[in-house]
Amino acid sequence: MRNFRLIGIIGLLLGTISAVGQSSKKEAWVDSVFNTMSLDQKIGQLFVVATFSNKDEAEYSKMEKLVRQQHLGGLIFMQGNPKSQVQLINRYQRAAKVPLLISQDAEWGLAMRLKGVPRYPKNMTLGAIQNDSLIYRMGREMGKDLRRVGVNWNFAPSVDINNNPKNPVINFRSFGEDKYNVARKGVMIMKGMQGVGVMAAAKHFPGHGDTDTDSHYSLPLINHDQVRLDSLELYPFMKMTRAGVASVMVGHLHIPALDTIKNRPTSLSPSVVNGLLRSKMNYDGLIVTDALNMKGVTKSVKPGHVALNAFKAGNDVLLFPSNIPLSIKTMKIALQQGEIAEGALNERVKRVLRAKYDCSLHTFKPINPDGISSYIYRKEAQILRKQLYESAITLAKNDKILIPLKDLEKRKIALVQIGGSKNSTLFRTLSKYDKVTPINLPNNFTPQQQAQALKKLESFNTVIIGVFGMKRSAKDNFGITLGTKMISEKLSGLGKDVILTLFGSPYALNQFGTEKAILVAYEGVKEAQEAAAKAIFGGMVVNGRLPVTAGPKFKAGTGRLILKPTRFGFSYPEEEGMDSQRLQEIDGLVKYYIQKKAMPGAAVLVLKGNNIVYEKGFGSTQYGDKGRKIHPYLHTYDLASVTKVAATTVGSMFLYEKGMLDLDKPLQTYLPELKGTNKSRLTVRRLMQHNAGLAGWLSVYQQTYADTKRKRLDKKYYSYYPSRSHNTQIAPALYGSHELDKLFIQTLKESPVNRTTRVKYSDVGLIVTGMTVEKIARRPLDEYMDYVFYNRLGMNKTSFNPHSQKKEKYCPPTEADVSWRQAVIKGYVHDPNSAIMGGVAGHAGLFSNVYDLTKLMLMLKNGGTYGGDRFLKEETIKYFTRQQLSYSRRGLGWDKPARKGEKSSPCSKYASRTTFGHTGFTGTAVWVDPAYDLVFVFLSNRTYPDQSNRLLYRENVRSKIHDKVYQSIFTYNQKKKARLVK
């Protein structure tokens, strides 16, 4: 124990010695620079001047001259772009004898000032977040961005307490009205920024929150007594100064309790700056004025004297005065006349120089302008922005727990979007969960437009209202029009489930309340829109709380919780333990095989945990210019044999669980028409294990030619026009007769049964299983699956026979059939036997997109639940998806990874033994791996234009792509391990 104590004491001493050493180095540098300075140079060090990176050469030359001649201490960059800013910083630093402090007013990151960069949430949004570690991370990432573009001083955060809803200038720039929340958030951002070498500035001292005047145009009055100021306004500043904030910015306010001189701004008040901040609060960091060109401070002071008065008040840095040469001249005269002491000047110049040393400006090197964009858009920063907007989402009201939405099969949902773009992120994300009909209105819609919208909404029982284009100011009513209020009230009055989502100020809540559910998303950026959609459908946790009070119904701190997701969400791969770069290799593989003409296009989706981490469409619906670009949401593919699991097997699992299907009873129990045939004693279990001895396929259509050689169809079976006898549509202009049904059933009954237990993959077995399901359910397979699964899961893009619903334009074609159907097969099932059966069969016929299949597969991965609803028991899923026979890899209906010794596997070689799924003849695949918490969906139309194209099979393309999913997990873990070792 003594040894440990000794080691601790030694460590403490070494740390102290190191700190002392650093301090002495700093002071040595400060003295070496200070001792070479003239009076003009010393005065110049106190001034920070505004500049721009989006002007012309004349402006840049003028600024370069000002830096050189007036010996400026620093610059504040306003509008521009990152690369130009860096180039100008290098130029101006070369012109400066003493390195310049480079500052920016970037409260929500570079996007506040520069174009072409992503923005972080504003403070009001951050105020809703309960996890303060996210705020710290934001400070770090924001600081990294600033450092990359040459900034070492950020005039942020604003720690004003916004307890006045009418505040026109602070408002959304505040963390809210709760002093503890404001202080915590401010400290976290400050620590994050300063941890990466960017000075923070707590502003606007002593508190700009409780005023309805904008200091840019006039001098705000805050008429509270000292007790109130100490207990509220000053609290965050006290916490910030004690936590080590590098600087404090003094605002332009008039507070009689702190300064009795009429209309003297706090920024020019010795009793506030020197008395309160420097002496009473014992603050020893940099004190900087707010911009000295603002009318709140210039109205009552003659030109040139604003900076002088600010210096006399005790400020170290004089920001943005209107006339630099005149201001410096006025300061110099005051020094020469003894109006201000040179000792005070020297003290403040040294304080500025120490700050420059702390920002490593004593070793300044030119900044490389290349690669800025890729750095600013780095993955960790993107992930953080997403997490921040998600964490801010606030469920201000949720009557009868409407959110997350349940009972989708009973809902008809519309989105009334007020403002914003028509094809918004909100609409696109909502549509991935269920069918949502958009109705778009401009912000100032007319009574006629309102009436039209209400008419369209009559048949909908669930209405999501998304309000965009909101304003930040109370004088603009926060952008809420009378029409917006009226349409929301009317829909609520009609008894509809109205979900109001505000993409703007939470203060606007005081104008609403009749709605059943209200979400506040705070901002209209795509991350907030996506988060709102996820919250509505249960795709994420919701725990945001209102940072301000908006009337008696919506107090600060209000926020209903959603404790766990019930449907899928969306994440970056790294959030789920996967490597983005490795996962991105899927792109190259798919594009390569499209180029090799293995398929015209494809859609790929990867889900890890509960979140989609990869979703992309590639290529076109067909080769050449005629095809439409594949969109993973819009395009629904013919799933072929994936129907066996996504319809027939899942449907059988439900009936088995309900005791309606006995896997070991003879088929004649369920299908009396098979009595007396060679199939009467077979069981559903053997059919689903593929060991019933049935033929692999039935070539029924080949029996229906009148002339086989010339491929002339028999009129007994076909007509090119619909009629009472020919009403099974097989192709756009081809109709089958009832004789086809009879022929198919007769062929099925007469097909051979090999009396063996050998496994032979068979379409026939699943056709018969599908017939069994229909007989037990007493309805066609498509109606049964819609009722029991698809409608409840929100699988609105999943159906048999999409052509019958006029949806064939969204279906990539599967073949240019020149022999039998003599047409391009698009929206009609590709499989001939399924087509003969009317497009609804147990082995083929289902169409879907990657999102709908993910809903079904996620439900199975999650033990039978989705959307807060239970569809199957976990034990049922495990029973059907496990390997059934010692000599076969297959489950009941489900395919599985290759067994040891098998030459090829239908899925990735890395897949666990718990994996289950299926592939389809048209070039499709779905796989669920519970051990790795994965769902993989691959859809293509490799059979177009000719099904003889087997490149996808020969080169095992689907498995190669599936491999990349696992490799991304392995790579992520390797990198994580390497970081830990390092």
Side-chain angles (χ1 to χ4, degrees), residues 471-639:
K471 307 291 185 182
R472 72 186 191 189
S473 177
K475 69 181 178 64
D476 298 315
N477 205 33
F478 303 106
I480 303 300
T481 64
L482 180 61
T484 297
K485 289 191 287 185
M486 284 179 63
I487 200 168
S488 188
E489 288 174 6
K490 285 185 177 181
L491 290 168
S492 298
L494 291 170
K496 298 182 187 294
D497 287 342
V498 176
I499 301 170
L500 175 68
T501 306
L502 298 176
F503 292 95
S505 175
Y507 283 121
L509 285 169
N510 67 354
Q511 301 176 66
F512 299 98
T514 60
E515 303 78 8
K516 285 190 178 176
I518 303 178
L519 277 172
V520 184
Y522 300 96
E523 300 179 42
V525 296
K526 68 180 183 64
E527 293 93 341
Q529 293 182 52
E530 188 175 270
K534 289 196 293 185
I536 289 168
F537 277 101
M540 68 177 206
V541 169
V542 175
N543 59 9
R545 296 185 183 275
L546 292 178
V548 292
T549 295
K553 294 180 181 177
F554 303 104
K555 298 285 188 181
T558 298
R560 277 67 175 178
L561 305 179
I562 297 175
L563 296 176
K564 64 178 182 178
T566 57
R567 295 187 177 90
F568 64 64
F570 303 87
S571 288
Y572 287 98
E574 281 74 12
E575 291 182 90
E576 303 298 331
M578 302 177 79
D579 184 70
S580 292
Q581 290 180 320
R582 204 66 197 268
L583 204 58
Q584 202 77 18
E585 291 175 10
I586 291 174
D587 294 36
L589 260 180
V590 178
K591 289 174 183 176
Y592 172 75
Y593 281 105
I594 288 173
Q595 194 174 23
K596 286 190 73 174
K597 295 196 180 323
M599 60 221 165
V604 187
L605 187 147
V606 179
L607 177 141
K608 178 75 161 64
N610 209 65
N611 291 297
I612 293 170
V613 295
Y614 184 97
E615 43 177 334
K616 286 189 182 179
F618 299 92
S620 304
T621 54
Q622 54 186 296
Y623 297 110
D625 297 332
K626 293 181 181 179
R628 293 185 176 186
K629 186 179 178 182
I630 292 298
H631 189 290
Y633 168 72
L634 290 176
H635 288 103
T636 56
Y637 282 84
D638 181 338
L639 302 183

